[in-house]
Amino acid sequence: MVFVHGDARNMIHQHDAIVVGAGIAGLTAALKTAETCDVAVVSKVHATRSHSGAAQGGIAASLGNEEDDSWEWHMFDTVKGSDYLADQDVVEILAREAPRAIYVLEYMGVPFSRNKEGKIAQRPFGGHTINFGEAPVKRACYASDRTGRVIMDTLYDQCSVQGVNIYNEVFVISLLISDSRCCGVTGYDLATGETEIFHAKAVMLATGGCGRIFRTTSNGYASTGDGFALAIDAGVPLEDMEFIQFHPTGIHGLGVLISEATRGEGGVLRNGSGERFMERYAPTLKDLAPRDIVSRAILTEIQEGRGVGGSDYIHLDLTALGRQRLEQKLPEVTSFVTTYVGVDPSESPIPVAPTCHYIMGGIPTDGDGQVLTDEKATPMLGLYAAGECACVSVHGANRLGCNSLIDLVVFGGRAGIAMAKYVKETTLPQLPQDAEATLSRGFDCLLESNGKERVSGIRGKMQRVMMEKCSVFRDRKGLKHVLDEIRNLKRAYGNLSLTHKERTFNYELEEALELENMLKTAEVMALSALKREESRGAHHRSDFPERNDESWLKHTLVSQTKGLQLRYKPVTVTRFQPKERRY
Ligand SMILES: Cc1cc2nc3c(=O)[nH]c(=O)nc-3n(C[C@H](O)[C@H](O)[C@H](O)COP(=O)(O)OP(=O)(O)OC[C@H]3O[C@@H](n4cnc5c(N)ncnc54)[C@H](O)[C@@H]3O)c2cc1C
């Protein structure tokens, strides 16, 4: 039932549960919750334009349709890929439940590509191996190179059939907390600029990643880390935010992603002299080593003068695949390369360099999406999270390709079930007394702001400094500089001015809110990275180049209480003791 009251300026919607975010995590959760409850999804972009729709390469599950595979191998690869920082109890859930999750998607209607036997086709992807690391295994299920697109569209259809309410183009500004329970969110309608309150027994955050904090990224414009800021403002810590993945193959200068599926299908990386250099860095898996290793290898080649023509990129060579295979297996990639680079990938190599792609850290949750507020696992009642904005943590210090999509459906689904159960057992909390007044006041203040700074100026400076000093290679001096600069930019934000003061589709206003969220997130990233004095997975400190399990086999937690506070919590190790990572 939808219950609406309030005047036009402060409409109040009431549902059993609210999901913020309409990507694959949000829609999967909403579908599960909708089986027994009235659920609404709120999304700042039209639901089907969520970044999940851009996922190309595939979704990992040990179906064993092409060759022998097992969930234990998938679990091992994920733990080793994470540089042993992932919590192994939840990785076990991921690997065990993955095959069933794929069949559920198939029954819903996802048109996966097929092999000759008519089974779901699978291809190799970085870091996924047979028999605990022996050789690459075909574990990635796919629908040519439109895997995310077809899953998104199928879930959206199912949500329509199941009566999930979807509020498109509504920007969520804050979480409502009453008596330490989450009881809704505030937001505004992008089309009208009117503020709204969504009152519910439970809220789930599924707001995706934050690649837009960096100058070069594969992420869409909406990936601005809003969920991280919503959480930290509500007193929830953020976990392991120093671990940011750079994907090895973004189109040089643009960052647009060229899927790892290209290497899964047989593409190779070559330096300026045409050498297949990954053989030197990862003799067994070569071009299919995990992303942190390949990205560092590429940048090392470039720094040592072996980029193409001495420049800051290397080549991804797909010419051996031939035109027919490219058109059949990688049509999107082929069209991107033709459009953005102006070359035919069946004839010419593609100039590529690492691009910011994914954040391993996020809002701490247990295996059922329940948000946790400290190292003792104290829950924030009524608040759930799943998908890229959450940190369960299954990806630890580095995520393997195709493990995000499976994380979204496995843990999105589990969070949806847990939320439905909670909703049935609880009553609707009161809204905080001043919710409506505070919302209107804050919003009007921003619209009327009259300082000297512009959104684009502050954002550009943030993206540059994060890219230069907080990306693939880091050190203490650089990270201190980043932290100072982000704090200066936060002060500059206080002196902001919006050129456009109207409410209707005011993109400058939306960008201002996103910038504030990115600055808060960037500060947590830089602080977490500065404090972690070791190298692990995607976090590489040139001044501490070794992994240090004795001091650092632990998760970082940063929360906002009179400034940022750091705490740590142990990693759950069950089956696989940390070992040196060789590929
Ligand atoms: C180009 C690309 C290719 C990829 N390919 C693969 C792949 O092949 N395999 C794989 O496993 N992974 C892949 N990934 C990673 C994976 O796609 C993402 O991690 C995943 O889709 C994130 O899904 P999500 O549901 O968490 O959030 P998203 O799909 O990012 O959706 C976020 C949602 O939150 C909403 N939102 C955010 N902030 C607000 C706010 N303030 N108010 C209201 N709504 C808000 C947005 O509107 C959106 O609906 C790829 C990523 C990229 C960028």
Side-chain angles (χ1 to χ4, degrees):
M1 187 190 69
V2 184
F3 171 64
V4 181
H5 68 87
D7 58 27
R9 276 295 296 279
N10 254 333
M11 194 173 279
I12 302 186
H13 307 270
Q14 210 172 76
H15 296 276
D16 287 336
I18 300 290
V19 176
V20 185
I24 291 176
L27 295 186
T28 307
L31 263 182
K32 287 286 180 198
T33 313
E35 288 173 12
T36 52
C37 309
D38 163 35
V39 58
V41 176
V42 183
S43 173
K44 69 177 177 179
V45 299
H46 186 277
T48 56
R49 297 185 66 95
S50 302
H51 190 66
S52 293
Q56 300 169 345
I59 174 165
S62 57
L63 302 185
N65 283 355
E66 309 277 354
E67 54 193 334
D68 270 355
D69 200 359
S70 83
W71 70 263
E72 281 106 330
W73 298 346
H74 187 185
M75 176 181 173
F76 170 77
D77 293 336
T78 303
V79 170
K80 183 176 171 190
S82 82
D83 221 349
Y84 294 92
L85 193 74
D87 287 326
Q88 297 185 17
D89 51 346
V90 279
V91 179
E92 181 162 340
I93 294 175
L94 179 83
R96 274 183 187 270
E97 293 189 6
R100 186 164 185 279
I102 297 293
Y103 292 128
V104 170
L105 289 176
E106 186 190 29
Y107 294 153
M108 263 186 217
V110 172
F112 285 112
S113 295
R114 302 275 152 181
N115 64 14
K116 286 203 183 84
E117 294 171 284
K119 294 179 178 170
I120 293 173
Q122 296 186 277
R123 62 181 160 214
F125 240 78
H128 291 281
T129 69
I130 215 156
N131 204 13
F132 306 106
E134 261 174 25
V137 70
K138 293 179 178 168
R139 186 177 290 148
C141 312
Y142 59 93
S144 80
D145 56 356
R146 302 187 182 104
T147 314
R149 178 79 274 141
V150 299
I151 297 176
M152 273 295 297
D153 290 350
T154 307
L155 289 171
Y156 186 74
D157 285 352
Q158 292 293 323
C159 282
S160 307
V161 172
Q162 299 301 325
V164 172
N165 306 276
I166 299 193
Y167 295 89
N168 284 310
E169 299 187 325
V170 171
F171 192 106
V172 170
I173 303 173
S174 70
L175 296 176
L176 291 168
I177 310 289
S178 175
D179 281 339
S180 307
R181 279 172 67 184
C182 186
C183 60
V185 299
T186 69
Y188 85 100
D189 185 329
L190 292 166
T192 62
E194 303 304 348
T195 47
E196 301 185 341
I197 285 179
F198 295 83
H199 186 195
K201 294 178 183 175
V203 171
M204 189 183 122
L205 293 174
T207 47
C210 58
R212 285 279 148 191
I213 289 176
F214 293 82
R215 198 182 52 209
T216 306
T217 179
S218 66
N219 287 193
Y221 282 98
S223 300
T224 52
D226 301 353
F228 302 130
L230 291 174
I232 203 142
D233 286 349
V236 172
L238 296 179
E239 180 173 342
D240 291 342
M241 293 294 282
E242 60 271 46
F243 298 104
I244 299 143
Q245 178 165 83
F246 277 72
H247 192 293
T249 57
I251 294 178
H252 175 243
L254 294 176
V256 173
L257 190 78
I258 301 295
S259 172
E260 195 171 300
T262 51
R263 282 171 283 139
E265 293 291 345
V268 294
L269 298 167
R270 297 189 190 282
N271 63 17
S273 25
E275 182 204 4
R276 194 180 167 188
F277 59 89
M278 278 315 299
E279 290 176 339
R280 278 190 274 118
Y281 295 88
T284 308
L285 296 191
K286 303 185 178 78
D287 301 88
L288 286 175
R291 291 174 180 170
D292 56 330
I293 293 175
V294 183
S295 283
R296 276 195 295 278
I298 292 174
L299 291 179
T300 305
E301 290 298 294
I302 291 170
Q303 278 168 7
E304 293 178 0
R306 294 188 293 278
V308 174
S311 183
D312 57 348
Y313 63 89
I314 50 106
H315 273 149
L316 172 62
D317 183 356
L318 307 183
T319 53
L321 274 67
R323 182 163 292 137
Q324 203 189 350
R325 181 134 174 238
L326 280 171
E327 274 168 11
Q328 192 199 346
K329 296 276 186 84
L330 301 162
E332 291 286 315
V333 168
T334 308
S335 111
F336 281 170
V337 175
T338 316
T339 308
Y340 293 115
V341 193
V343 303
D344 175 349
S346 67
E347 288 176 358
S348 313
I350 311 159
V352 292
T355 183
C356 178
H357 186 60
Y358 184 88
I359 174 134
M360 273 68 75
I363 303 160
T365 71
D366 66 13
D368 292 312
Q370 169 68 64
V371 169
L372 308 173
T373 58
D374 56 27
E375 64 278 28
K376 295 185 208 106
T378 312
M380 163 75 86
L381 291 182
L383 186 60
Y384 295 80
E388 190 169 340
C389 76
C391 181
V392 186
S393 117
V394 286
H395 309 301
N398 173 63
R399 170 175 76 79
L400 295 187
C402 294
N403 262 357
S404 171
L405 293 190
I406 197 65
D407 165 9
L408 308 178
V409 289
V410 168
F411 291 104
R414 290 174 68 96
I417 292 169
M419 191 160 65
K421 185 161 175 279
Y422 173 79
V423 161
K424 285 282 155 216
E425 291 165 355
T426 194
T427 51
L428 185 68
Q430 294 272 329
L431 283 174
Q433 269 185 351
D434 54 350
E436 294 180 50
T438 318
L439 170 61
S440 302
R441 227 180 9 252
F443 197 74
D444 291 345
C445 236
L446 182 58
L447 263 178
E448 284 151 22
S449 60
N450 240 334
K452 288 202 170 54
E453 301 285 348
R454 293 276 180 249
V455 170
S456 56
I458 300 178
R459 189 177 51 209
K461 285 182 188 157
M462 170 193 70
Q463 290 172 332
R464 207 166 314 124
V465 77
M466 291 299 285
M467 193 73 200
E468 280 166 12
K469 301 203 155 63
C470 196
S471 53
V472 177
F473 293 114
R474 302 159 167 186
D475 61 26
R476 181 185 291 145
K477 189 162 163 251
L479 289 169
K480 273 194 163 156
H481 176 77
V482 176
L483 201 54
D484 289 346
E485 181 68 6
I486 296 293
R487 287 175 174 162
N488 289 338
L489 293 173
K490 280 180 87 178
R491 277 188 285 277
Y493 185 89
N495 190 21
L496 199 66
S497 171
L498 299 190
T499 328
H500 303 284
K501 311 279 186 202
E502 67 274 17
R503 289 179 169 259
T504 309
F505 273 118
N506 185 341
Y507 290 120
E508 195 186 9
L509 172 67
E510 183 184 359
E511 287 178 21
L513 290 165
E514 290 176 340
L515 174 61
E516 189 180 13
N517 293 336
M518 288 193 282
L519 287 169
K520 286 178 184 166
T521 310
E523 187 184 1
V524 176
M525 279 177 184
L527 180 68
S528 309
L530 176 64
K531 295 294 172 188
R532 184 175 282 274
E533 295 188 331
E534 65 155 355
S535 291
R536 184 184 297 272
H539 172 69
H540 189 89
R541 289 280 301 254
S542 310
D543 44 354
F544 297 96
E546 302 300 326
R547 193 177 86 195
N548 177 351
D549 288 337
E550 214 167 287
S551 308
W552 287 103
L553 187 63
K554 56 188 181 187
H555 298 290
T556 308
L557 287 177
V558 175
S559 52
Q560 176 87 50
T561 35
K562 291 190 199 138
L564 294 181
Q565 309 291 330
L566 271 129
R567 275 173 297 176
Y568 293 92
K569 66 174 184 183
V571 173
T572 308
V573 177
T574 57
R575 289 170 183 252
F576 303 110
Q577 286 305 315
K579 282 204 186 111
E580 200 188 338
R581 222 167 46 125
R582 285 177 190 276
Y583 283 98

